[in-house]
């Protein structure tokens, strides 16, 4: 059946037609304050409906329920409007006509009247226009014409049930508009109480008003009148009841995390009449308040002795013990929890303790003793109801998770969320499903999203009242206070967020709360506590950053090596690896023993571990081992070496996650224990041949110190084409390089490169090739340097590759004659000052923004430093050296100063007069200053300053330099370095170079 073209407006009575247009003005046009203008019989001033447009302009409508409408009708309607004075302005006039207006006279007259009426806008809503406006408004059409007409006329639609607000919702709406006191009638009682002069009668009226509010569901509003009730209680001589009320209000505020409200509530005790001070009950309640607030607002989570919590009524004591116990649990204070076991048991048996707190006390008892059987049995028998049974199971899941009972924890959280769903505790059910998802990353990654649809479905079931009182804003408050620098408030809020997360078994909430609390503690100069919280959640990146930020202070994280899960132990080892240089001498053997035990356990598969994750306990143990490897005794070093040698062979093009740390460990063993050097070098050489990241300065020193032991294996690898082995042999004896290998290297360095537009590559091999040809004649080297300088300025190449070519040229420059060096010097200096822009760098620049979705970090943005080092190598006159120094100084402070430092070193003693200026630059230049100062000792004040430098690398450079000087020449500085917290600094001072 076809669509109905027009609605039958003429079939409506005139009143219905008028109301229809009122509805359209309000709901279709979006006009506000639309209303019928005047009652029947009143003068309507030529208007039937008035309204306001969104911009405040007046809008009016004349309703014409006519079966025909022609030119004369239109003229009469406009005349009536124009001849009438109204008490308000009309900027738009609508003529609503029930029939279709099609006559030419009426249409032409409409155009005339629009011009005459301007600036008032004239619109015509005839049957055609009205139908157009209502085509997509079936709800209005149904209301005035019925469902069959709507189905024949409107665009396709579905009929849904109308939502009718409940009586309670309507009451709340009225209360919002009129205040609960007025809407419930309680206001009358409060006003009578205020008017009476008899305190006892006033008290009765206030309590009756509060009861009225509570009965109507407005308990919080009733509580706002507690202050007056407390005052009246005190006046009538019932101070103990007044104090009890204050204490109850205090506990409620504390439960909700409203610490400010709790503080204000506590002050109300001080407002009681002075006669109440002698009341022992009031004094006891005051002690409860003080104890609770001190517990709650301790920014470090300190918990007092259990005996000090026995104050107040038994229920108050139970609440204090519960608060202290959950605080201790959040702070992982296991010794305190063990001591508190009798108290948990005692107060959980108090008949007056409500079921929720009783269960929480029993959970603390189970957490402290590890005995969950009885509690879980009661929960599964539903003795505590579905909600609290779910809580018990969820807390047990957390305990299982911390002890690496992976599948058991997963199933327990599943059971808990099921119980919560049966109790309609949708918030807890969603939280525990999310906890399952997050925990799977610790043992079964890549499966967590299987639970996402379930979590989403449960979350969409709606909201529910929390099972336990928690502070929903604590985490946000902590971050806000941290951003404002209010560290005490931030720490208190973070402690509350952590306590709530643990109490509700919110695995994700606990993780983020510990991280936030750690950030606050770091800012508060509490690094040890911060490290503990970071270790608990396996935050390896943050704990490593913390360790690096402390250049002189060692954090003893060794107690966390006893944690029952791999991620905490792994994070603890990561911190030890970061701070290895600061490990006290008396702890080295202890840590070494723990690490060798880790190696044995790894061989046997004793501990669960995810080695491809940053939290791996094994990989991080090797990282810590690498840090202290130079301090191992012979027995431990032998055990470590035996473990590494016994590892399965690595397949070609594969690697181990700990390769770099293994190489550093073995190199340090080779340097420290001559009796193990043969085995160590035999293992180290093939490891370095495949593990480029392991080729540290220490590893190179180990190979150089045992060149004879390494030679045969290096030669074998070089013969097989290993470029690192070839490079290493060339460094030791350039002339021993195979002539064919050298010829190929020369060809690679001298043959001009070819480029393709839009195609870029990274990596050159030029540095290695320069070592392979360094023994060739000066003419060949000059040709190579010439080509290298061309490449170093080519717009197609990246700064990274340009830097390689400049370093390669620096390796060859010392072998050129003076004329050749003078020829290349101007080019090198220009490349340091104004190199040709790199197209490759410009392309990469778009990927360097910190907020970019794709970022390329660590890409060099220029190679001026390498060019400076080359220019310094090429400089052969005082004028050239002076010019290089000038350019070096002009570039200081822009980026890393490693290459400018190399340039200054190559300039020799031309910078000795500038040491004080250079001593405020970056660590590399300060290290260079330390070397220069050790030779001359001027200015005198600079030595002690360098010996106290915050960067251990600077102090180590100074110690190494002083070790080459006659004993006692700089006694004061040597004493400072001898007491340095860094082992490497103390050792460098005692170890003269050969």
């Amino acid at each position: 059946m076809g669509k109905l073209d027009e609605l039958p407006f003429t079939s409506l009575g005139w009143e219905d037609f008028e109301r229809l247009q009122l509805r359209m003005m309000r709901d279709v046009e979006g006009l506000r304050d639309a209303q019928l203008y005047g009652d029947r019989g009143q003068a309507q001033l030529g208007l039937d409906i008035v309204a306001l447009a969104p911009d405040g302009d007046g809008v009016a409508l004349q309703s014409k329920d006519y079966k025909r409408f022609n030119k004369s009708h239109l003229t009469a309607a406009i005349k009536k409007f124009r001849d009438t004075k109204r008490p308000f302005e009309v900027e738009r006039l609508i003529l609503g006509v029930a029939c279709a207006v099609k006559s030419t006279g009426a249409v032409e007259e409409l155009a005339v009247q629009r011009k005459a009426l301007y600036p008032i806008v004239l619109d015509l809503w005839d049957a055609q226009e009205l139908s157009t406006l209502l085509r997509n408004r079936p709800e209005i059409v149904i209301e005035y014409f019925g469902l069959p007409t709507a189905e024949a006329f409107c665009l396709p639609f579905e009929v849904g049930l109308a939502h009718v607000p409940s009586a309670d919702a309507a009451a709340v709406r009225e209360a919002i508009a009129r205040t609960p006191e007025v809407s419930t009638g309680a206001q009358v009682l409060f006003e009578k109480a205020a008017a009476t002069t008899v305190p006892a009668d006033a008290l009765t009226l206030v309590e009756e008003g509060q009861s009225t509010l509570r009965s109507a569901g407005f308990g919080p509003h009733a509580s706002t009148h507690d202050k007056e009730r407390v005052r009246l209680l005190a006046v009538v001589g019932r101070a103990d009841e007044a104090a009890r009320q204050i204490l109850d209000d205090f506990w409620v505020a504390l439960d909700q995390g409203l610490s400010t409200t709790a503080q204000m509530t506590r002050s109300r005790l001080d407002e009681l009449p002075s006669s109440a001070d002698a009341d022992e009950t009031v004094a006891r309640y005051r002690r409860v308040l003080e104890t609770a607030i001190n517990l709650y607002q301790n920014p470090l989570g300190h918990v007092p002795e259990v005996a000090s919590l026995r104050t107040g009524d038994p229920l108050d004591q139970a609440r204090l013990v519960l608060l202290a116990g959950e605080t201790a649990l959040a702070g992982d204070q296991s010794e305190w929890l063990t001591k508190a076991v009798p108290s948990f048991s005692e107060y959980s048996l108090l008949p007056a303790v409500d079921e929720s707190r009783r269960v929480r006390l029993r959970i603390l008892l189970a957490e402290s003793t590890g005995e969950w059987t009885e509690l879980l049995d009661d929960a599964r028998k539903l003795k505590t109801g579905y909600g609290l049974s779910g809580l018990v199971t969820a807390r047990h899941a957390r305990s299982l998770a911390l002890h690496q009972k992976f599948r058991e924890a997963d199933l327990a959280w599943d059971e808990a969320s099921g119980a919560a769903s049966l109790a309609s505790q949708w918030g807890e059910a969603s939280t525990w499903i999310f906890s399952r998802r997050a925990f799977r990353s610790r043992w079964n990654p890549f499966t967590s999203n299987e639970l996402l649809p379930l979590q989403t479905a449960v979350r969409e079931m709606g909201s529910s009242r929390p099972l336990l009182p928690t502070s929903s804003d604590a985490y946000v408050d902590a971050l806000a206070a941290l951003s404002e620098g209010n560290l005490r408030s931030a720490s208190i809020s973070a402690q509350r967020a952590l306590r709530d997360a643990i109490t509700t078994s919110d695995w994700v909430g606990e993780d983020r709360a510990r991280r936030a609390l750690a950030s606050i503690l770091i800012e508060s100069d509490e690094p040890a506590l911060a490290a503990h919280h970071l270790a608990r959640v396996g935050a390896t990146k943050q704990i490593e950053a913390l360790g690096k930020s402390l250049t002189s202070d060692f954090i003893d994280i060794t107690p966390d090596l006893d944690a029952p899960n791999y991620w905490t132990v792994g994070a603890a080892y990561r911190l030890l690896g970061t701070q290895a240089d600061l490990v006290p001498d008396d702890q080295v053997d202890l840590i070494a023993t723990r690490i060798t035990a880790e190696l044995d356990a790894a061989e046997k598969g004793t501990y669960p571990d995810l080695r491809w994750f940053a939290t791996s306990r094994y990989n991080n143990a090797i990282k810590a081992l690498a840090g202290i490897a130079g301090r191992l005794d012979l027995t431990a070093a032998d055990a470590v070496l035996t473990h590494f040698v016994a590892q399965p062979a690595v397949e070609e093009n594969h690697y181990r996650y700990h390769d770099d740390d293994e190489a550093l460990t073995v190199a340090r063993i080779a340097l420290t224990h001559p009796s193990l050097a043969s085995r160590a070098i035999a293992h180290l050489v093939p490891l370095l041949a495949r593990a480029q990241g392991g080729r540290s300065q220490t590893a190179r020193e180990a190979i150089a110190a045992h060149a004879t032991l390494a030679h045969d294996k290096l030669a074998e690898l070089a013969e097989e084409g290993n470029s690192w082995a070839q490079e290493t042999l060339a460094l030791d004896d350039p002339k021993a390089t195979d002539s064919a290998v050298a010829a190929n290297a020369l060809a690679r360095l001298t043959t001009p490169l070819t480029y393709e537009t839009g195609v870029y590559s990274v990596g050159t091999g030029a540095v290695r090739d320069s070592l392979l040809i360094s023994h060739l004649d000066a003419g060949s080297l000059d040709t190579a340097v010439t080509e290298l300088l061309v490449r170093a300025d080519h717009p197609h190449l990246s700064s990274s590759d340009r830097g390689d070519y400049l370093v390669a040229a620096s390796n060859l420059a010392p072998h050129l004659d003076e004329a050749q060096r003078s020829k290349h010097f101007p080019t090198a200096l220009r490349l340091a000052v104004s190199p040709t822009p790199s197209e490759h760098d410009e392309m990469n620049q778009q990927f360097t923004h910190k907020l970019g979705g794709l970022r390329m970090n660590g890409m060099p943005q220029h190679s001026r430093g390498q060019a400076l080092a080359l220019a310094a190598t090429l400089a052969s006159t005082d004028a050239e050296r002076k010019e290089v120094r000038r350019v070096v100084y002009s570039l200081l402070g822009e980026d890393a100063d490693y290459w400018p430092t190399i340039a200054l070193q190559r300039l020799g003693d031309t910078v000795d007069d500038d040491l004080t200026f250079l001593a405020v630059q970056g660590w590399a230049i300060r290290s260079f200053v330390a070397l220069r100062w050790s030779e001359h000792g001027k200015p005198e004040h600079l030595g002690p300053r360098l010996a106290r430098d915050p960067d251990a690398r600077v102090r180590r450079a100074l110690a190494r330099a002083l070790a080459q000087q006659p004993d006692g020449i700089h006694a004061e500085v040597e004493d400072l370095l001898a007491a340095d917290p860094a082992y490497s600094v103390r050792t460098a001072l005692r170890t003269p170079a050969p």
Side-chain angles (χ1 to χ4, degrees):
M1 183 175 66
K3 285 287 184 183
L4 186 64
D5 290 333
E6 290 182 4
L7 290 169
F9 297 103
T10 56
S11 66
L12 297 173
W14 70 267
E15 289 180 323
D16 283 340
F17 181 57
E18 201 171 74
R19 281 194 292 269
L20 169 62
Q21 292 170 101
L22 171 66
R23 178 81 180 275
M24 290 177 65
M25 292 178 74
R26 186 184 64 211
D27 294 348
V28 177
E29 287 283 293
L31 303 177
R32 58 188 176 89
D33 297 333
Q35 56 187 313
L36 296 172
Y37 188 62
D39 294 327
R40 182 178 297 182
Q42 282 187 315
Q44 294 176 284
L45 307 177
L47 307 176
D48 294 299
I49 305 172
V50 294
L52 291 175
D55 60 3
D57 287 350
V59 181
L61 179 141
Q62 283 189 20
S63 180
K64 305 297 181 183
D65 185 21
Y66 294 174
K67 290 184 171 53
R68 285 191 299 275
F69 192 82
N70 54 36
K71 175 180 178 180
S72 61
H73 293 124
L74 176 61
T75 304
I78 299 301
K79 184 177 186 302
K80 185 176 182 180
F81 175 77
R82 298 183 69 173
D83 291 348
T84 305
K85 292 184 178 180
R86 289 163 294 280
F88 49 84
E89 294 293 327
V90 173
E91 282 78 19
R92 179 187 176 197
L93 174 64
I94 303 172
L95 298 180
V97 183
C99 65
V101 179
K102 298 180 180 178
S103 69
T104 57
V107 173
E108 291 171 355
E109 183 62 21
L110 179 63
V112 172
Q113 293 296 339
R114 278 177 170 159
K115 290 182 179 180
L117 207 57
Y118 184 83
I120 297 174
V121 178
L122 175 62
D123 287 334
L124 177 66
W125 283 3
D126 68 344
Q128 297 175 92
E129 181 65 17
L130 289 168
S131 296
T132 300
L133 293 172
L134 290 172
R135 182 74 70 180
N136 198 31
R137 301 305 296 265
E139 73 281 8
I140 300 177
V141 176
I142 291 171
E143 182 177 346
Y144 286 91
F145 298 98
L147 181 60
T149 299
E151 291 175 336
F153 171 76
C154 294
L155 298 174
F157 64 90
E158 293 183 0
V159 178
L161 294 175
H163 175 72
V164 179
S166 66
D168 288 343
V172 172
R173 171 65 183 86
E174 181 187 5
I176 291 173
R178 300 175 57 208
T179 76
E181 285 83 354
V182 174
S183 65
T184 61
Q187 185 64 33
V188 175
L189 297 169
F190 294 137
E191 290 174 354
K192 287 182 179 180
T196 184
T197 58
V198 181
D201 293 344
L203 176 61
T204 300
L205 290 167
V206 168
E207 292 178 337
E208 186 178 346
Q210 289 182 296
S211 177
T212 301
L213 285 170
R214 290 192 180 98
S215 298
F218 295 104
H221 284 79
S223 298
T224 62
H225 299 275
D226 282 342
K227 186 174 182 179
E228 178 62 11
R229 177 177 180 269
V230 166
R231 185 187 70 81
L232 292 170
L233 283 171
V235 170
V236 299
R238 295 158 61 184
D240 55 341
E241 292 182 52
R244 182 71 254 177
Q245 176 67 63
I246 292 172
L247 185 54
D248 289 343
D249 291 345
F250 170 83
W251 280 120
V252 170
L254 215 57
D255 278 345
Q256 297 174 349
L258 305 175
S259 57
T260 301
T261 303
Q263 289 276 30
M264 294 171 61
T265 303
R266 179 178 67 168
S267 68
R268 284 162 50 192
L269 270 181
D270 300 329
E271 298 172 4
L272 293 177
S274 56
S275 59
D277 292 342
D279 191 308
E280 174 55 32
T281 301
V282 174
R284 188 168 67 249
Y285 290 163
R286 182 175 278 111
R287 289 194 296 272
V288 172
L289 281 166
E290 294 298 329
T291 303
I293 205 69
N294 289 338
L295 247 176
Y296 189 92
Q297 294 199 332
N298 189 290
L300 299 179
H302 172 73
V303 183
E305 292 295 327
V306 178
S308 67
L309 304 176
R310 294 183 178 275
T311 183
D313 295 342
L315 288 181
D316 293 321
Q317 295 177 28
R319 296 189 73 151
L320 288 171
V321 167
L322 179 60
L323 175 59
E326 291 176 344
T327 301
L329 186 63
D332 308 298
Q333 301 175 48
S334 56
E335 291 185 7
W336 190 96
L337 290 168
T338 300
K339 292 178 182 178
V341 163
S343 296
F344 295 150
S345 178
E346 173 190 349
Y347 288 110
S348 69
L349 297 174
L350 282 179
V353 172
D354 68 82
E355 192 62 22
S356 173
R357 294 190 182 89
R358 186 189 314 281
V359 168
R360 289 162 67 185
L361 284 165
R362 293 184 67 190
I363 291 174
L364 283 174
L365 185 60
E367 293 267 16
S368 305
T369 62
E371 298 294 332
W372 287 86
T373 304
E374 182 180 352
L375 182 57
L376 288 172
D377 187 55
D378 287 351
R380 287 163 183 157
K381 291 178 180 178
L382 298 178
K383 290 184 178 181
T384 56
Y386 283 116
L388 290 175
S389 294
L391 177 66
V392 169
T393 310
R395 287 285 291 274
H396 184 232
R398 176 184 178 272
S399 178
L400 291 169
L402 291 175
H403 288 81
Q404 302 182 133
K405 304 294 184 181
F406 300 118
R407 296 188 182 280
E408 296 93 327
D410 186 76
L411 291 173
W413 263 314
D414 181 35
E415 182 181 345
S417 58
S421 298
L422 292 173
S424 297
Q425 294 290 154
W426 306 118
E428 283 78 6
S430 176
T431 294
W432 294 335
I433 295 172
F434 196 12
S435 295
R436 284 183 70 196
R437 287 185 59 211
F439 180 60
R440 284 192 175 187
S441 67
R442 298 296 189 198
W443 65 285
N444 195 12
F446 320 119
T447 66
S448 62
N449 283 341
E450 295 174 1
L451 299 171
L452 181 57
L454 177 61
Q455 180 192 345
T456 302
V458 170
R459 185 171 59 239
E460 291 177 351
M461 293 298 294
S463 60
S464 57
R465 186 175 182 178
L467 190 62
L468 300 181
T470 57
S471 175
S472 58
D473 296 328
Y475 176 72
V476 175
D477 289 344
L479 296 183
L482 174 60
S483 69
E484 295 171 359
N486 192 343
L487 298 178
R488 179 179 175 83
S489 294
S491 183
I492 292 170
S493 295
Q495 295 277 4
R496 175 62 196 256
L498 176 58
R499 191 162 61 245
D500 284 348
I502 291 175
T503 302
T504 58
S505 189
D506 180 355
W507 187 263
V508 178
E510 179 179 349
D511 184 286
R512 69 177 187 176
R514 286 191 187 274
R515 291 173 188 265
L517 180 56
S519 297
I520 295 163
L521 291 170
I522 290 171
E523 293 295 319
S524 306
D525 298 326
E526 290 288 345
L529 279 176
H532 169 75
H533 287 290
L534 292 173
R536 290 288 291 188
V537 295
T540 52
K541 184 176 181 180
Q542 293 89 332
I543 206 169
E544 184 174 30
L546 171 60
K548 289 179 178 178
S549 70
L550 300 172
T551 59
S552 301
D553 300 319
F554 175 69
I555 300 175
D556 187 2
I557 196 73
T558 53
D560 281 300
L561 295 177
D562 293 321
N565 56 74
Y566 75 83
W567 55 90
T568 298
V569 176
Y573 276 130
R574 176 67 69 94
L575 180 60
L576 286 172
T578 305
Q579 287 207 304
D581 202 24
L582 298 174
V583 172
D585 292 336
D586 59 0
Q587 291 201 41
V588 171
D589 289 345
L590 170 65
I591 295 172
T593 300
R594 297 297 297 260
I595 294 175
T596 51
E598 292 283 350
L599 302 184
D600 290 340
E603 291 176 2
K604 300 172 183 176
T606 304
Y607 299 133
D609 198 15
L610 268 65
R611 291 199 185 179
W612 58 92
F613 278 17
T615 50
S616 166
R617 69 185 296 160
Y618 178 79
N619 290 342
N620 285 304
I622 302 299
K623 190 174 291 295
L625 177 62
I628 63 170
R631 306 164 72 179
L632 298 176
D633 62 29
L634 182 61
T635 301
D638 181 72
V640 167
L641 194 56
T642 299
H643 171 78
F644 286 143
V645 171
Q647 294 176 112
V650 177
E651 297 179 31
E652 188 176 358
N653 297 323
H654 285 66
Y655 66 94
R656 297 189 183 98
Y657 291 103
H658 61 274
D659 272 348
D660 296 352
D661 294 313
E662 178 181 338
L664 184 57
T665 301
V666 175
R668 284 177 169 161
I669 290 175
L671 289 169
T672 308
H673 296 286
S675 63
L676 300 177
S678 178
R679 291 167 57 203
I681 295 300
H683 182 75
L684 181 61
V685 171
L687 174 57
L688 294 179
R690 63 176 172 81
Q692 183 175 354
R695 298 167 192 169
S696 63
Q697 178 64 29
T698 302
R700 291 194 294 269
E701 290 175 0
I703 297 295
H706 300 285
T708 303
L709 293 174
H711 183 272
D712 290 348
K713 186 61 178 177
L714 285 170
E716 178 185 336
L717 291 168
E719 183 68 25
E720 295 172 359
N722 184 273
S723 58
W724 170 78
Q726 294 171 351
E727 175 186 333
T728 304
L729 288 172
L731 275 172
D732 182 51
D733 183 7
K735 294 182 179 180
T737 303
D738 183 90
S739 59
V741 171
N744 289 333
L746 180 62
R748 287 192 293 268
L749 292 179
T750 56
T751 303
L753 301 179
T754 58
Y755 311 100
E756 185 175 342
T757 303
V759 178
Y760 300 93
S761 62
V762 178
T764 68
V767 175
R768 179 193 69 245
D769 285 342
S770 69
L771 298 175
L772 297 176
I773 70 168
S774 61
H775 64 288
L776 299 182
D777 62 274
S780 298
L781 300 185
D782 183 61
T783 303
V785 170
T786 301
E787 172 61 23
L788 288 169
L789 290 176
V790 171
R791 298 179 186 181
D793 199 36
H794 199 286
H796 193 85
L797 297 178
S798 68
S799 289
S800 176
D801 285 0
R802 288 180 172 188
D804 279 357
Y805 291 131
L806 289 165
V807 172
S810 292
N811 290 339
L812 300 177
H815 305 289
L816 300 176
D817 60 38
E818 186 173 343
Q820 292 169 331
R821 291 199 298 272
S822 297
K823 177 181 67 173
H824 295 303
F825 176 81
T827 303
L829 195 63
R830 183 184 61 78
L831 293 178
V833 176
S834 57
T836 301
S838 165
E839 297 171 4
H840 185 280
D841 289 356
E842 291 173 358
M843 180 192 70
N844 283 345
Q845 189 64 35
Q846 61 184 312
F847 303 113
T848 59
H849 196 285
K850 294 181 179 179
L851 299 180
L854 176 63
R855 298 185 302 280
M856 299 177 65
N857 297 326
M859 297 296 291
Q861 295 303 304
H862 62 76
S863 54
R864 290 182 294 174
Q866 291 92 325
L868 269 176
L870 173 58
T873 306
L874 294 169
S876 56
T877 67
D878 290 341
E880 289 175 343
R881 283 189 283 270
K882 182 177 180 181
E883 185 62 16
V884 172
R885 184 179 62 182
R886 182 190 66 79
V887 176
V888 169
Y889 288 179
S890 71
L891 296 180
L892 291 180
E894 289 190 9
D895 284 304
D897 56 5
Y898 174 80
W899 287 109
T901 302
I902 298 298
L904 291 178
Q905 282 183 307
R906 293 175 181 175
L907 292 178
D909 58 5
T910 61
V911 299
D912 287 348
D913 293 338
D914 302 326
L915 293 185
T916 301
F917 159 69
L918 295 173
V920 298
Q921 305 304 319
W923 74 268
I925 287 186
R926 299 202 307 276
S927 298
F928 167 67
V929 170
L931 299 179
R932 302 304 305 170
W933 185 90
S934 67
E935 294 181 13
H936 306 289
K938 301 293 183 180
E940 292 185 10
H941 70 273
L942 205 53
R945 179 169 145 192
L946 292 167
R948 298 187 180 95
D949 193 278
D951 197 308
R953 291 171 292 188
V954 177
R955 307 195 305 272
R956 188 159 53 244
L958 179 61
R960 284 174 178 164
L962 290 178
Q964 314 309 313
Q965 302 299 321
D967 291 340
I969 190 171
H970 299 298
E972 178 187 358
V973 176
E974 290 177 6
D975 289 344
L976 290 172
L977 294 172
D980 197 276
Y983 170 79
S984 63
V985 175
R986 302 193 303 271
T987 305
L989 187 66
R990 301 193 301 264
T991 312

